[in-house]
Amino acid sequence: MKIMDFEIIPHDSVLNPTDFNSYQTGIPSLDTFLFEELDKMEQSNRTSMSVAYIGKEIVGMFALSAAQITTRQTSDVFNSAFGNGNQEYNSLPLISLDHFSVNKKFQYDPGKEKNQQFSVGKNLLYAVFETIVVMRSIYNIAVAGMVVEAIESATDWYEKQHFEYLDNYQANMPKETSIMIIGYDMIEQAYYETNELNARN
């Protein structure tokens, strides 16, 4: 995967608010969050949205916040995502991926060949991983991984990116959203592997 040259800025630093006029995800619940709920959540410091540009066009957005998750579980998922930390502590520090979307114009198109796809989603997730690795390795802030409440249509995609369901209920019961997690070790591995791949290309 070739890393895209995004310019990523805070949502409230966008100089031209009309840039948002052409941004749609194609998923009503995500669009509702962006244009009806986001401002209120940011004002109360519940989340913080970043906006990714290529040139003058917004191609994607993601929102992050701090979270904790109770880890005294018998689930094998917890063991694989968080290792020994799952057994030793009542809770672990996580980053919550509160929103993740790609402009519909740049989303995967099954009618196109692989070399014609934009891969904005993978590249934007890489940017999120980079943020987390920088937090941990540069700023020395402990983080055990990331959690996302994935909409039903996105769970397969998150699984392909090495996220796991929080527990068997999340994996097997039909629902509008599912809680999924990824441990820091997997985030760091994906980050460095992508860096090495791009260094060779």
Side-chain angles (χ1 to χ4, degrees):
M1 176 183 71
K2 183 67 175 175
I3 300 174
M4 287 181 164
D5 190 18
F6 294 124
E7 179 186 6
I8 299 178
I9 63 173
H11 170 260
D12 59 4
S13 296
V14 172
L15 295 178
N16 188 357
T18 60
D19 290 353
F20 293 107
N21 292 346
S22 60
Y23 190 87
Q24 289 188 339
T25 68
I27 301 169
S29 61
L30 294 183
D31 289 334
T32 297
F33 172 80
L34 286 171
F35 301 112
E36 295 181 16
E37 301 175 29
L38 174 60
D39 285 340
K40 183 166 62 175
M41 290 183 70
E42 284 199 316
Q43 288 168 11
S44 61
N45 289 318
R46 288 177 56 202
T47 196
S48 186
M49 181 71 78
S50 295
V51 178
Y53 279 87
I54 293 180
K56 295 184 177 180
E57 190 156 19
I58 297 174
V59 297
M61 299 189 207
F62 61 86
L64 302 176
S65 65
Q68 281 195 333
I69 196 164
T70 301
T71 61
R72 289 207 182 279
Q73 304 279 343
T74 57
S75 170
D76 291 337
V77 173
F78 270 85
N79 294 330
S80 62
F82 301 124
N84 292 335
N86 175 43
Q87 304 299 323
E88 297 174 4
Y89 302 104
N90 289 329
S91 62
L92 292 173
L94 301 176
I95 296 299
S96 174
L97 184 58
D98 300 324
H99 174 87
F100 186 88
S101 67
V102 172
N103 190 334
K104 186 169 177 55
K105 177 179 175 180
F106 295 93
Q107 290 175 14
Y108 175 79
D109 183 346
K112 291 181 179 179
E113 297 294 328
K114 185 176 180 180
N115 62 355
Q116 297 176 310
Q117 304 291 345
F118 291 108
S119 297
V120 171
K122 285 185 178 181
N123 277 277
L124 196 58
L125 186 63
Y126 166 84
V128 175
F129 286 175
E130 182 177 33
T131 298
I132 293 172
V133 171
V134 167
M135 283 178 56
R136 182 68 189 94
S137 60
I138 305 298
Y139 295 103
N140 201 31
I141 300 172
V143 57
M146 185 162 59
V147 59
V148 61
E149 189 172 350
I151 60 174
E152 185 178 10
S153 60
T155 53
D156 287 347
W157 184 82
Y158 280 110
E159 282 193 278
K160 290 177 183 176
Q161 315 314 317
H162 307 292
F163 283 73
E164 304 172 70
Y165 288 98
L166 180 66
D167 52 35
N168 290 333
Y169 169 77
Q170 298 294 326
N172 299 316
M173 295 296 291
K175 64 193 79 66
E176 290 184 5
T177 61
S178 298
I179 300 173
M180 304 182 77
I181 54 177
I182 184 170
Y184 179 80
D185 288 348
M186 185 61 71
I187 291 171
E188 186 180 55
Q189 179 181 333
Y191 168 75
Y192 286 118
E193 284 179 354
T194 304
N195 266 358
E196 289 172 8
L197 179 64
N198 280 276
R200 291 198 299 267
N201 293 335

